[in-house]
Amino acid sequence: MQDVMVIEDPAAAAASLDPLRARLLRELAAPSSAAALAAKVGLPRQKVNYHLRSLEDHGLVALLEERRKGNVMERVLQATAASYIISPAALAVVEPDPEHLRDRFSAYWLLALAARTVREVGRLLAGAVAAGKQLATYAADGEITFASAASRAAFATELGAEVARLAAKYHDPSATGGRRHRLVVVLHPVLKPEAAGSAPDQEIQP
C-alpha cells in the first residue's frame, strides 16, 4: 500500500468522490471482505460488492487473497493507498495554467502552481513506484508570524533574493547528464480555526 496515490483518471476520481465508496476506501486501510464491510456500513453484501468491483476496476483497491468460507469464495481486498489526491489532470480541460497567471503576489498563481505540483509529482511518483525506485524530493514547511504587512513584504523580498542567489550558485545548464528540478516557494496566511457556524476563514492582501 502506498502512503498517497494521485488520481488522474476522471472516472477513478468520480468513483473516489462517491460518499459510500469513499467510506469503503477508508475502511479498507486494513484488509477486509465484502461481508465484513457490509456489516460495518449497514448495506447488503451484494451492493457492497458492486461498489468494490468499481473501485477495483479503477485501481483504488486491490485483491490480496481469496479464501473459501463455507460454500462461498471470500475475496479479501485492501485500498491501494492510505490517502488519495485528485490531480488537476482529471479535469484537464479546465486545469489552471501557471504560465497564464504569472504574478508572485497572486493567490490564483499560487493555486495554479500547487495544481501543477500535484500533477507533476503525481506522475513522477507513479513512475517511481512502478520502477521500484525512490523519488528524490525535498519540502519544507513552517509558520511565521509577521508584525505587519510591511515586515511580510520585506521578508518576501529577502527570501526571493536569497532563493535567486542559491539558484544561481547551483544551477549548471552545461552539466552532462544533469537533471532539471522544479523549485516552488510559497507563502500564505494560516487558516484560522473556524467557530461553529461561522463562514470560512478569509484573509485579504492589504
Side-chain angles (χ1 to χ4, degrees):
M1 176 193 282
Q2 294 178 222
D3 289 332
V4 180
M5 176 182 286
V6 179
I7 301 172
E8 286 200 356
D9 177 59
S16 71
L17 289 172
D18 177 87
L20 175 57
R21 293 177 183 180
R23 167 85 186 275
L24 294 175
L25 284 175
R26 185 173 68 249
E27 296 291 348
L28 284 171
S32 190
S33 65
L37 290 170
K40 286 185 178 180
V41 301
L43 290 173
R45 181 176 58 83
Q46 292 82 356
K47 187 170 184 178
V48 170
N49 248 329
Y50 167 78
H51 290 292
L52 289 176
R53 290 287 185 183
S54 177
L55 292 172
E56 190 176 1
D57 288 343
H58 293 303
L60 301 178
V61 303
L63 177 66
L64 292 186
E65 63 172 315
E66 290 184 315
R67 58 194 181 197
R68 183 165 296 281
K69 197 169 185 180
N71 296 325
V72 177
M73 186 63 75
E74 186 178 63
R75 304 176 79 245
V76 178
L77 302 158
Q78 185 174 26
T80 51
S83 302
Y84 299 87
I85 296 175
I86 296 176
S87 169
L91 297 170
V93 176
V94 291
E95 181 182 357
D97 182 357
E99 295 305 316
H100 293 164
L101 298 165
R102 296 189 70 88
D103 177 356
R104 63 194 180 119
F105 295 110
S106 167
Y108 299 109
W109 192 40
L110 189 156
L111 288 174
L113 291 173
R116 184 184 65 189
T117 299
V118 170
R119 173 170 51 81
E120 292 187 349
V121 175
R123 290 180 179 176
L124 288 167
L125 181 59
V129 169
K133 296 181 178 180
Q134 292 291 322
L135 179 62
T137 63
Y138 169 81
D141 178 41
E143 295 183 10
I144 303 173
T145 300
F146 296 108
S148 64
S151 65
R152 181 178 60 209
F155 173 84
T157 298
E158 189 173 342
L159 177 63
E162 187 63 20
V163 169
R165 183 190 69 80
L166 284 171
K169 176 180 179 181
Y170 290 99
H171 178 54
D172 187 356
S174 64
T176 303
R179 177 71 184 270
R180 292 176 63 197
H181 284 68
R182 178 85 69 188
L183 173 64
V184 178
V185 179
V186 304
L187 176 69
H188 62 80
V190 174
L191 283 174
K192 297 177 181 176
E194 293 182 27
S198 67
D201 177 84
Q202 294 182 353
E203 294 212 22
I204 308 300
Q205 176 74 32

